[in-house]
Amino acid sequence: MIQLPDSVKTYFDASNMEHLDSFLAAFNDDAYVFDFNRDFKGIEAIRNWSKTDIFGVHVRFEITDATEQDGVYAVIASLDGDFDKTNLPSPLYLKHTFKLAGGKIKELQVSLP
């Protein structure tokens, strides 16, 4: 597995430790998050998304694979938490695709692997 940039590591570590401020500090102020069919632009929208979809349900990530191509980082992680798991595979894996600018997350796309 490749060495991940600090902002990408922080995204997962801060999520697992439930440190919202550290989580948000990994993003540029004008970052985008594309979480399946939902878009969140800017740090306040990302704060609201993360409060409900990550911190509010105590998501825990375990990275299982990571690759880098042309400065884009793709991370596969299993996740668990206090969310409705009806009809979801177990374990549940998500792909997080990160684009960075200035060492911080500029764009994040969350999808199925």
Side-chain angles (χ1 to χ4, degrees):
M1 194 163 22
I2 64 163
Q3 180 72 22
L4 293 171
D6 288 343
S7 59
V8 174
K9 288 189 292 190
T10 297
Y11 171 89
F12 292 105
D13 291 345
S15 297
N16 289 344
M17 295 184 293
E18 297 194 19
H19 290 156
L20 177 62
D21 291 338
S22 296
F23 177 87
L24 293 172
F27 289 87
N28 283 336
D29 288 342
D30 62 346
Y32 287 93
V33 172
F34 306 100
D35 185 10
F36 290 87
N37 291 324
R38 301 175 302 153
D39 298 342
F40 304 92
K41 182 181 184 324
I43 205 70
E44 284 308 310
I46 293 169
R47 175 190 306 274
N48 293 335
W49 163 75
S50 65
K51 279 183 168 181
T52 59
D53 288 29
I54 296 175
F55 297 104
V57 292
H58 311 287
V59 166
R60 297 290 181 270
F61 294 106
E62 183 178 332
I63 296 173
T64 59
D65 191 27
T67 59
E68 181 272 332
Q69 184 173 355
D70 299 326
V72 177
Y73 295 85
V75 179
I76 306 295
S78 65
L79 72 147
D80 198 5
D82 299 333
F83 53 88
D84 182 6
K85 297 175 182 85
T86 304
N87 297 323
L88 294 176
S90 182
L92 174 60
Y93 293 96
L94 291 181
K95 179 179 181 182
H96 294 75
T97 304
F98 297 90
K99 293 182 183 177
L100 307 180
K104 292 192 171 194
I105 299 166
K106 174 70 176 168
E107 184 179 305
L108 167 60
Q109 182 171 350
V110 181
S111 61
L112 293 173

